[in-house]
């Protein structure tokens, strides 16, 4: 979203990033006030409930104002930056920079009414373009308040607590980017309402590390304890008096937002709407493991185990299409889907995400292996796009990587089923009439009871187990 602010400056707003997202958190500014930006140059990195996204600005010129500090959550449509374009980029960077810092524009700065309007790039994210909107005045950003001691706040964060002697031991806040790289450090600071600009980093070039944040939190806790002791002594309370009982407000509160909030909303909706049931079976995976070893010994790209399991899933869904469906509650209809877009659960530093392999039914084991590897790497790096996290029709959940045997997972709404795979471990097993040590895995299927009965679900799971035990069964459908 971009709108004319005064005929020369363009106000660029946070666009709709797709998939119904309504807000995003500023992770890192990529430009400073006064920087010259090109058309479609990324100006800010934001984190939505689904992915990390670099947002490009559709105008070129001089950045005159930024709206929101790193760590701030903005709704879609809120201003991000203003950019002086055309002549303003050449003759007024200093004037525009003053407007971004809170100075009101003077009447002399008003542009001629007949000045041509700048053209946008034509580039579109989702839900916004670069066409002009009716002209209006630029937003004026108020001056940043100074620290006010123990109770002071600036930019929504608590300032440093004043020590006993009155001297402030932390550095003065400094304008500009905060020298932090790790999102975990930012999250830790946000959870404890700590202003990172007041810390001096111990890393290279002043980089703020997790140890710096933890040290500041311990120092603040110790200072708070001494203050509480002084107040208790002034009030005349007995030294041995028992304090008030713990209340529900005690402890640390973690906001349900971002990835964690999106997961919470989706799983809660699944529990409310889907009458799910789970069945499971143990299977002898020895022959599947041998088949994979033989495949990888023949040369060429290595085949992953999850790719073989995915190939088994697609073959089973072809035989039991009821499980590759969704329920249209408004129309009271079951919608059976033609293609299989296979989601798989991936645990990352940002939380649980479910990337989707498009057209999994049309891929062979090599193609599935490559796509799983690509999406997993993108998930860990936080580069998955909203399109790569949505549109799944069935989910494969390999919770065996966590060292557990079984689970009753929650269905990924609005899908109808999820196959769970436990760890593969040596166990005693009766094989060809004799007791032997075999590689055994537990398989579970959680399904929506509205789309099928237990017979269909049991048939699907039994077919999957048969393919795991005898991979040659798959040859019938190849």
């Amino acid at each position: 979203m971009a709108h004319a602010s005064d005929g020369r400056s363009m106000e660029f707003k946070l666009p709709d990033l797709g998939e119904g997202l309504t807000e995003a958190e500023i992770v890192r500014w990529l430009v400073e006030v006064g920087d010259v930006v090109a058309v479609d140059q990324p100006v800010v990195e934001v984190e939505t409930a689904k992915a990390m996204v670099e947002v490009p600005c559709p105008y070129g010129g001089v950045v005159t104002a930024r709206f929101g500090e790193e760590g701030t959550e903005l709704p879609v449509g809120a201003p991000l930056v203003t950019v002086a374009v055309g002549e303003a980029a050449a003759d007024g960077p200093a004037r525009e920079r003053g407007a971004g810092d809170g100075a009101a524009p003077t009447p002399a700065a008003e542009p001629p009414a007949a000045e041509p309007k700048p053209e946008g790039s034509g580039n579109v994210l989702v839900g916004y373009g670069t066409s002009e909107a009716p002209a209006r005045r630029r937003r004026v950003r108020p001056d940043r308040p100074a620290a006010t001691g123990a109770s002071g706040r600036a930019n929504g964060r608590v300032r440093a607590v004043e020590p006993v002697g009155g001297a402030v031991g932390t550095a003065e806040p400094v304008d500009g980017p905060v020298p932090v790289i790790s999102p975990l450090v930012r999250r830790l600071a946000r959870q404890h309402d700590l202003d990172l600009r007041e810390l001096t980093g111990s890393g290279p070039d002043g980089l703020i590390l997790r140890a710096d944040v933890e040290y500041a939190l311990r120092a603040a806790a110790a200072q708070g304890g001494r203050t509480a002791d002084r107040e208790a002594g002034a009030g005349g309370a007995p030294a041995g008096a028992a304090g008030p009982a713990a209340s529900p407000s005690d402890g640390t509160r973690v906001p349900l937002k971002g990835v964690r909030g999106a997961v919470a909303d989706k799983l809660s909706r699944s529990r409310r709407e889907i009458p799910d049931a789970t069945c499971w079976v143990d299977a002898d995976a020895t022959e599947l493991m041998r088949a994979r070893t033989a495949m990888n010994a023949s040369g060429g790209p290595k085949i992953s185990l999850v790719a073989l399991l995915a190939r088994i899933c697609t073959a089973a869904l072809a035989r039991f299409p009821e499980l590759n469906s969704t329920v249209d509650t408004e129309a009271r209809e079951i919608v059976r889907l033609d293609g299989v877009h296979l989601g798989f659960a991936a645990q990352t530093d940002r939380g649980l995400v479910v990337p989707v392999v498009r057209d999994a039914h049309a891929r062979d084991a090599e193609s599935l292996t490559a796509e799983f590897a690509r999406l997993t790497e993108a998930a860990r790096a936080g580069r998955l796009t909203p399109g790569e996290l949505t549109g799944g029709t069935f989910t494969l959940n390999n919770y065996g990587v966590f060292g557990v045997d079984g689970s009753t997972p929650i269905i990924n709404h609005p899908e109808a089923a999820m196959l769970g795979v436990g760890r593969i471990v040596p166990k005693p097993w009766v094989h060809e009439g004799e007791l032997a040590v075999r590689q055994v895995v537990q398989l579970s299927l959680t399904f929506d009871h509205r789309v099928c009965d237990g017979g269909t679900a049991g048939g699907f799971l039994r077919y999957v187990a048969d393919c795991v035990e005898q991979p040659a069964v798959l040859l019938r459908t190849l």
Side-chain angles (χ1 to χ4, degrees):
M1 299 175 182
H3 297 285
S5 175
D6 62 4
R8 288 185 173 184
S9 288
M10 302 302 298
E11 184 182 81
F12 176 49
K13 296 184 176 184
L14 177 66
D16 177 0
L17 299 172
E19 306 299 336
L21 301 174
T22 58
E23 66 272 330
E25 180 179 327
I26 297 175
V27 175
R28 180 167 59 101
W29 281 106
L30 305 178
V31 295
E32 299 285 342
V33 173
D35 286 355
V36 177
V37 295
V39 171
D40 293 337
Q41 176 180 333
V43 294
V44 66
E45 183 179 40
V46 300
E47 179 179 18
T48 71
K50 295 183 180 294
M52 301 272 276
V53 180
E54 288 188 352
V55 181
C57 179
Y59 292 93
V62 177
V63 177
T64 58
R66 301 186 321 192
F67 299 92
E69 301 295 332
E70 294 176 350
T72 303
E73 191 168 80
L74 298 178
V76 169
L80 276 178
V81 295
T82 56
V83 179
V85 298
E87 294 180 3
D91 63 16
R95 176 181 59 82
E96 297 293 347
R97 189 154 51 246
D101 291 334
T106 63
E110 295 297 328
E115 182 175 346
K117 295 180 179 180
E119 294 183 358
S121 68
N123 193 11
V124 175
L125 282 175
V126 178
Y128 87 101
T130 56
S131 58
E132 294 283 354
R136 59 186 179 86
R137 297 182 66 84
R138 182 190 311 105
R139 287 175 180 259
V140 177
R141 189 166 150 194
D143 290 332
R144 179 180 297 129
T148 56
S151 62
R153 284 180 177 266
N155 298 314
R157 285 182 166 80
V158 176
R159 314 300 288 181
V161 178
E162 186 175 346
V164 179
V168 178
T170 55
E172 291 294 324
V174 179
D175 288 337
V178 182
V180 181
I181 294 177
S182 171
L184 297 178
V185 173
R186 294 185 186 279
R187 184 180 300 118
L188 182 64
R190 287 199 302 272
Q191 290 173 354
H192 294 85
D193 211 15
L194 178 66
D195 193 338
L196 289 171
R197 291 170 302 175
E198 296 177 342
L199 302 184
T200 300
S202 61
D205 298 323
L207 183 68
I208 297 176
L209 306 178
R210 179 169 182 166
D212 300 324
V213 174
E214 292 175 341
Y215 178 82
L217 294 175
R218 287 194 299 270
Q223 179 63 39
R226 289 193 295 270
T227 302
D229 291 342
R230 289 197 307 273
E231 292 177 352
S247 67
S249 61
D250 293 339
T252 301
R253 290 178 174 265
V254 180
L256 273 177
K257 64 178 184 178
V259 173
R260 187 75 262 159
V263 170
D265 293 341
K266 193 159 209 178
L267 296 184
S268 298
R269 183 177 182 184
S270 179
R271 277 297 192 217
R272 286 195 307 268
E273 296 185 7
I274 299 178
D276 58 353
T278 301
C279 53
W280 56 89
V281 66
D282 288 341
D284 179 2
T286 305
E287 297 303 322
L288 180 66
M289 300 299 287
R290 288 175 178 172
R292 176 173 176 257
T293 299
M295 291 178 191
N296 291 336
S298 62
K302 301 294 185 182
I303 303 300
S304 67
L305 180 60
V306 70
L308 295 179
L309 294 170
R311 186 67 188 86
I312 292 172
C313 276
T314 58
L317 290 172
R319 295 172 66 95
F320 300 92
E322 298 92 335
L323 294 169
N324 192 53
S325 61
T326 187
V327 176
D328 186 338
T329 54
E330 292 185 1
R332 293 186 62 82
E333 294 177 341
I334 297 172
V335 182
R336 291 186 181 173
L337 305 168
D338 296 329
V340 178
H341 303 310
L342 188 67
F344 66 98
Q347 192 69 35
T348 71
D349 291 340
R350 299 176 61 235
L352 178 69
V353 294
V354 184
V356 177
V357 177
R358 301 288 171 185
D359 299 315
H361 61 287
R363 296 176 180 266
D364 58 19
E366 285 189 3
S367 175
L368 287 168
T369 296
E371 187 66 357
F372 277 124
R374 184 188 71 82
L375 291 172
T376 299
E377 177 60 27
R380 289 172 177 167
R383 297 194 308 268
L384 288 172
T385 65
E388 291 171 328
L389 287 164
T390 54
T393 63
F394 186 92
T395 296
L396 174 62
N397 187 358
N398 182 20
Y399 45 73
V401 297
F402 300 117
V404 298
D405 295 323
S407 174
T408 55
I410 300 176
I411 295 174
N412 188 23
H413 185 280
E415 298 170 12
M418 175 185 292
L419 178 69
V421 182
R423 60 176 180 163
I424 301 176
V425 293
K427 287 185 179 181
W429 190 267
V430 177
H431 176 66
E432 297 180 349
E434 295 183 358
L435 189 63
V437 176
R438 306 285 287 182
Q439 300 293 319
V440 179
V441 62
Q442 185 178 102
L443 306 170
S444 66
L445 177 70
T446 300
F447 63 98
D448 185 341
H449 228 312
R450 296 174 298 178
V451 305
C452 70
D453 295 325
T456 300
F460 174 93
L461 189 59
R462 185 65 257 172
Y463 179 80
V464 170
D466 289 345
C467 291
V468 168
E469 294 185 338
Q470 303 177 48
V473 173
L474 275 177
L475 294 175
R476 296 177 61 91
T477 58
L478 293 180

